[in-house]
């Protein structure tokens, strides 16, 4: 009989010298269930559509307040106790992809997924054809923890694809000498008319080849008849 094991993790995160930052998450098998906003201490569920089926413990905001306070209190003491160890630093990776299948002139969202970095402070910048985009078109998630305690974050850019537009997502992090930049270009999508024209052209080429082969066959047959 197999035993099914699951992991429920309560994660408290805080940073030295960043008094307004902090995070209190509850995760199940690597997926975030909810977090408590460190400013308002409101509980925010990762998937709002399940909010009616599951009501979080009303004591969570108080638990988060105490846990974050304890975290910040312990940082200097832990550093001293470990004889001032160097900070763990890991460089981010990133990838850009559209949320929906792309169609020209149809509103969509570009996602820049940044992963595997530590410490969790990154600056993400978007450009369109070399120009900074309007920040009203940009949103992003909070930092999420990975199983190895590195972090990831997603940035979203609302856009309407125009032919030959080029977008970039640049990530700045303490581990990088220069921002990590990835590009995404709006590819030309063939229209129905172009598909039909291509199909007709291909059919014409095939018929032409058949005609050439048939003509050669008749010529060779006629030559054999003349020789006999």
């Amino acid at each position: 009989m197999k035993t099914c094991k699951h992991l429920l993790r309560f994660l408290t995160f805080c940073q030295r010298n960043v008094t307004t930052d902090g995070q209190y998450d509850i995760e199940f098998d690597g997926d975030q269930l909810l977090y408590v906003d460190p400013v308002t201490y409101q509980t925010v569920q990762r998937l709002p559509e399940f909010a009616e089926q599951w009501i979080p413990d009303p004591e969570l905001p108080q638990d988060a307040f105490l846990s974050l306070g304890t975290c910040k209190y312990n940082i200097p003491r832990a550093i001293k106790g470990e004889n001032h160890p160097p900070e763990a630093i890991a460089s981010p990776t990133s990838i850009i992809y559209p949320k929906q299948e792309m169609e020209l002139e149809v509103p969509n969202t570009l996602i820049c997924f940044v992963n595997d970095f530590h410490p969790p402070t990154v600056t993400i910048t978007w450009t369109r054809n070399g120009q900074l985009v309007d920040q009203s078109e940009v949103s992003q998630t909070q930092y999420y923890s990975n199983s190895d305690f590195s972090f990831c974050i997603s940035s979203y850019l609302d856009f309407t694809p125009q032919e030959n537009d080029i977008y970039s997502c640049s990530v700045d992090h303490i581990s990088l000498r220069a921002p990590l930049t990835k590009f995404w270009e709006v590819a030309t999508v063939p229209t129905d008319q172009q598909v039909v024209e291509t199909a007709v052209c291909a059919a014409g080429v095939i018929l032409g080849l058949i005609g050439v082969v048939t003509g050669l066959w008749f010529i060779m047959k006629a030559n054999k008849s003349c020789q006999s």
Side-chain angles (χ1 to χ4, degrees):
M1 185 178 186
K2 294 184 178 180
T3 302
C4 185
K5 296 182 179 180
H6 298 280
L7 176 63
L8 181 65
R9 184 167 72 157
F10 292 75
L11 175 67
T12 301
F13 157 74
C14 60
Q15 295 188 80
R16 180 179 54 176
N17 301 326
V18 187
T19 56
T20 58
D21 195 14
Q23 198 162 308
Y24 183 85
D25 298 350
I26 299 180
E27 301 175 356
F28 181 73
D29 286 349
D31 292 323
Q32 186 191 59
L33 299 178
L34 57 83
Y35 69 92
V36 178
D37 187 289
V39 177
T40 64
Y41 287 97
Q42 295 292 317
T43 300
V44 181
Q45 292 179 251
R46 174 73 182 276
L47 299 175
E49 56 266 33
F50 293 122
E52 295 182 359
Q53 285 75 30
W54 177 52
I55 300 177
D57 187 339
E59 299 295 326
L60 279 177
Q62 181 178 354
D63 293 343
F65 178 81
L66 294 174
S67 186
L68 287 170
T70 301
C71 180
K72 292 186 179 297
Y73 176 83
N74 284 333
I75 285 180
R77 290 157 181 80
I79 292 174
K80 183 178 180 180
E82 295 294 330
N83 196 24
H84 300 272
E87 185 175 27
I89 296 179
S91 299
T93 61
S94 67
I95 185 174
I96 304 178
Y97 57 94
K99 183 177 181 180
Q100 306 292 340
E101 184 176 352
M102 195 206 69
E103 296 182 46
L104 293 178
E105 307 294 340
V106 177
N108 205 331
T109 300
L110 273 182
I111 301 173
C112 183
F113 177 63
V114 185
N115 196 18
D116 298 326
F117 57 90
H118 192 280
T121 303
V122 294
T123 301
I124 301 175
T125 306
W126 289 92
T127 68
R128 179 190 294 110
N129 300 325
Q131 303 296 318
L132 291 174
V133 303
D134 189 329
Q135 288 304 302
S136 65
E137 302 172 332
V138 178
S139 60
Q140 67 182 39
T141 65
Q142 63 172 133
Y143 296 107
Y144 296 122
S145 68
N146 297 316
S147 58
D148 61 356
F149 294 103
S150 65
F151 288 82
C152 62
I153 191 172
S154 293
S155 180
Y156 303 95
L157 172 65
D158 295 328
F159 79 117
T160 300
Q162 305 287 340
E163 189 172 350
N164 298 323
D165 275 354
I166 299 177
Y167 293 85
S168 76
C169 171
S170 295
V171 180
D172 200 7
H173 185 255
I174 190 175
S175 65
L176 302 173
R177 293 185 177 180
L180 173 66
T181 302
K182 293 294 179 68
F183 294 91
W184 188 85
E185 183 174 359
V186 177
T188 302
V189 180
T191 63
D192 292 340
Q193 181 179 355
Q194 290 173 324
V195 172
V196 171
E197 290 175 352
T198 301
V200 170
C201 182
V205 171
I206 293 172
L207 290 175
L209 291 173
I210 293 174
V212 170
V213 173
T214 304
L216 290 174
W217 183 81
F218 278 113
I219 292 172
M220 293 175 63
K221 185 176 181 181
N223 288 336
K224 288 182 179 180
S225 298
C226 290
Q227 292 175 358
S228 60

